[in-house]
Amino acid sequence: MARATPAATPYDALVEDTFYLTVGIEVEQRLLPVEKGVSIRPGPLLAPGIGVDASGRVYGRPERAGTFSAPVQVCRGRTCSAQQVTFVVLRNVPWAPAVLTFPGRVGERLYGSITIRGGPAGVPPAFTVTDHDALPEGVTIGPDGQVGGVPTTPGVSRVPVRICLAGNCAGVVVTLIVI
């Protein structure tokens, strides 16, 4: 007997409902519905300078710091329900990468963590490898900045990584030196 999956409730219609942004930095976010075939009904600004379109793209530049909460309409056909979305807009606090070079040895476990200095307190950065082919065989860099794995060949690898902190993003190069 097949069992039907229950429809999402208004409280879990979106994958993520809290977003961290930085004053004055263009937003690159998207509201992602939990279910397929669901659309977002655009409405008024969600926070000063921030709106959403029918595709769920959040757009604009936050105009002032603060926490802003507003409902968005999540629709399946003609039936819509409100989903509360929160934007935590932080003032622009400068930050910089700190540790970007990691030595290792072939056949030995590599441990490390990309770190940053500065930035708003309590907001973890997100790390994205932008060219996975640049990683040496056996090594990974996670979305939390953890560098790990067991390198299989010696050499120097320069891996491009994008670091984002509350929407404030920068590209860096992580150097892995394997002997």
Side-chain angles (χ1 to χ4, degrees):
M1 173 191 246
R3 198 169 185 193
T5 304
T9 65
Y11 302 104
D12 65 0
L14 298 173
V15 172
E16 186 176 9
D17 63 4
T18 301
F19 299 89
Y20 292 89
L21 309 172
T22 299
V23 170
I25 296 189
E26 191 73 29
V27 176
E28 293 182 28
Q29 298 284 345
R30 183 166 297 282
L31 300 179
L32 297 173
V34 171
E35 297 180 65
K36 289 185 178 190
V38 174
S39 63
I40 306 295
R41 180 175 289 165
L45 290 180
L46 301 173
I50 302 298
V52 64
D53 66 18
S55 72
R57 182 180 66 89
V58 179
Y59 62 87
R61 284 182 196 269
E63 295 173 356
R64 68 175 195 260
T67 300
F68 306 92
S69 192
V72 294
Q73 295 294 315
V74 180
C75 304
R76 178 177 280 288
R78 293 184 187 184
T79 306
C80 297
S81 60
Q83 167 80 49
Q84 201 70 9
V85 179
T86 302
F87 294 95
V88 179
V89 181
L90 304 164
R91 62 185 181 82
N92 195 339
V93 179
W95 63 271
V99 176
L100 295 174
T101 302
F102 301 92
R105 293 184 177 275
V106 171
E108 293 182 14
R109 182 153 298 282
L110 177 65
Y111 292 104
S113 183
I114 302 169
T115 59
I116 64 166
R117 284 187 304 270
V123 179
F127 302 85
T128 305
V129 174
T130 59
D131 180 6
H132 287 278
D133 292 337
L135 282 165
E137 188 71 33
V139 177
T140 62
I141 297 175
D144 57 356
Q146 295 299 311
V147 179
V150 179
T152 59
T153 56
V156 175
S157 300
R158 290 176 178 77
V159 183
V161 175
R162 181 177 163 108
I163 304 172
C164 291
L165 188 60
N168 188 354
C169 301
V172 299
V173 174
V174 173
T175 303
L176 302 166
I177 304 168
V178 179
I179 55 171

